[in-house]
Amino acid sequence: YETQQILRQVGVHTVVANVLRLPFDAASCVDARRHKVFSKSYQLLQLFCLGTGKPNSRSQEALFAEEGFLRLISRHLALDIGAERCLEAVLQSHYRLNAQIPEEILDRYLALMQNPKTDPRTYVAFLGSVVVVKEVPIIRNQILVMNALAEQQSDWLQNLTML
């Protein structure tokens, strides 16, 4: 806990988030050094939030509040650099942060869940964790997820009937 407090006070999360702002996309994944830097950065931020396995709400809140961090994570999802695990650590067991998660993040997870190149179990588990936190439902997130799923299902059925 003390280590996390020191890291938070010196702004390690801001420095690491700035590293993650460097250009990185699917084409960059072939650069092994860059891939490793991004993977280790997300791993560090995950540990920053979870420490010894127990979520640290102050660290989670600091990273959640970091300017542009959620948009950054959204761009890095499905690049196999740990963005998903980092976001899960930021939100783990934190009702207020889960209630504030942007709709764009939920939409991105729903889209990735339907991508045949990704394992949908990762994204289904995440969506399950943001609609109920510590056995308390987050109605807003439940409505957003259900509406998006219904919309996507409707689009899928409409495309199927056009065949």
Side-chain angles (χ1 to χ4, degrees), residues 40-76:
K40 293 295 183 184
S41 296
Y42 274 120
Q43 187 177 20
L44 177 66
L45 292 176
Q46 183 180 352
L47 291 171
F48 174 73
C49 291
L50 298 180
T52 59
K54 180 181 170 192
N56 182 307
S57 62
R58 287 185 183 164
S59 294
Q60 289 172 305
E61 291 164 4
L63 194 49
F64 189 89
E66 181 65 33
E67 181 68 34
F69 184 70
L70 293 176
R71 282 189 309 277
L72 182 66
I73 274 195
S74 181
R75 287 197 325 261
H76 291 159

Side-chain angles (χ1 to χ4, degrees), residues 140-160:
R140 170 197 170 260
N141 291 359
Q142 289 178 338
I143 290 169
L144 289 171
V145 169
M146 291 307 295
N147 285 343
L149 285 172
E151 184 179 304
Q152 288 178 359
Q153 185 67 23
S154 175
D155 291 346
W156 181 78
L157 287 172
Q158 186 176 13
N159 289 338
L160 186 61

Side-chain angles (χ1 to χ4, degrees), residues 103-123:
E103 188 174 344
E104 298 80 38
I105 298 279
L106 297 175
D107 290 342
R108 179 84 168 115
Y109 266 84
L110 287 161
L112 287 168
M113 188 175 71
Q114 294 187 351
N115 183 337
K117 296 179 182 178
T118 60
D119 182 0
R121 292 176 292 189
T122 302
Y123 304 108

